[in-house]
Amino acid sequence: ESKGYGLVKYCSNEAAAQARHLLDGRDIRGFSIQADWLNSTHISFKQLHSKCLYVDNLPPNYRDMTTYRKIFSVIKNPPYCQIAMRNGVIQDWGLVEFFDSEEAEKTQEELNGYNLKGHNIRVHYCIPGVNAINIYMKVVNAPTDTKKKALLEDTPSSSVYTQLQKLASQNPVFAQNLQNIIQTQIQTIQTGIPPK
């Protein structure tokens, strides 16, 4: 049975970066895709299972954290349990993180579709290897406009380029060092091999 997430390995880091940029936040069939990097330390099959759950379809303005935590303690008390709030407004979703994936799986099986004040909540898995607090901060702090306009999130202002040109003319060694750093980073991205 699908856990609602998948892993993709791309031929190049550039292709992976472009796919992540184009897919992250995209809405497909009523679900928002969260595309992110998987920590390279997650190499065993067991480590590819998520211990974090995404809960949505909560009742409007639901904020009873005591009951929310109690509901998600059906298998084991989770160390992290949060109902989302954005700009002071309660959202219709929350996150729950457990110590291991087995606890998360049993809880997901038990509570997906649970009726909470007339709303059947949906319980899904989050990206494995990413802590719930990191997911929460990324989502609540993301700009509300999710349309992807360019490969870079924010294009540097023209003043950045002007300042770099002034620095380069005043200090050619700085310009050469900066160019070497950029070339090393590009080479690392292309080869996947960090500099020595």
Side-chain angles (χ1 to χ4, degrees), residues 38-86:
L38 181 63
N39 187 325
S40 63
T41 61
H42 291 82
I43 53 173
S44 74
F45 184 73
K46 181 178 171 128
Q47 291 170 318
L48 295 177
H49 295 276
S50 180
K51 61 181 184 169
C52 181
L53 300 174
Y54 172 80
V55 182
D56 71 346
N57 202 32
L58 293 173
N61 299 314
Y62 184 79
R63 60 177 72 214
D64 186 348
M65 274 302 300
T66 304
T67 302
Y68 184 73
R69 178 175 285 281
K70 185 176 179 183
I71 290 168
F72 281 92
S73 297
V74 67
I75 302 298
K76 192 160 187 181
N77 190 22
Y80 181 89
C81 201
Q82 181 68 48
I83 297 171
M85 183 179 283
R86 184 177 188 151

Side-chain angles (χ1 to χ4, degrees), residues 17 37 39 60 83 85 94 125 153-154 171 192 195:
W37 309 113
N39 187 325
I83 297 171
M85 183 179 283
Y125 298 99
E153 292 290 336
D154 296 313
N171 190 342

Side-chain angles (χ1 to χ4, degrees), residues 153-174:
E153 292 290 336
D154 296 313
T155 306
S157 68
S158 60
S159 66
V160 170
Y161 297 114
T162 304
Q163 291 170 358
L164 284 173
Q165 287 173 339
K166 284 182 183 177
L167 278 170
S169 66
Q170 295 170 357
N171 190 342
V173 174
F174 165 79

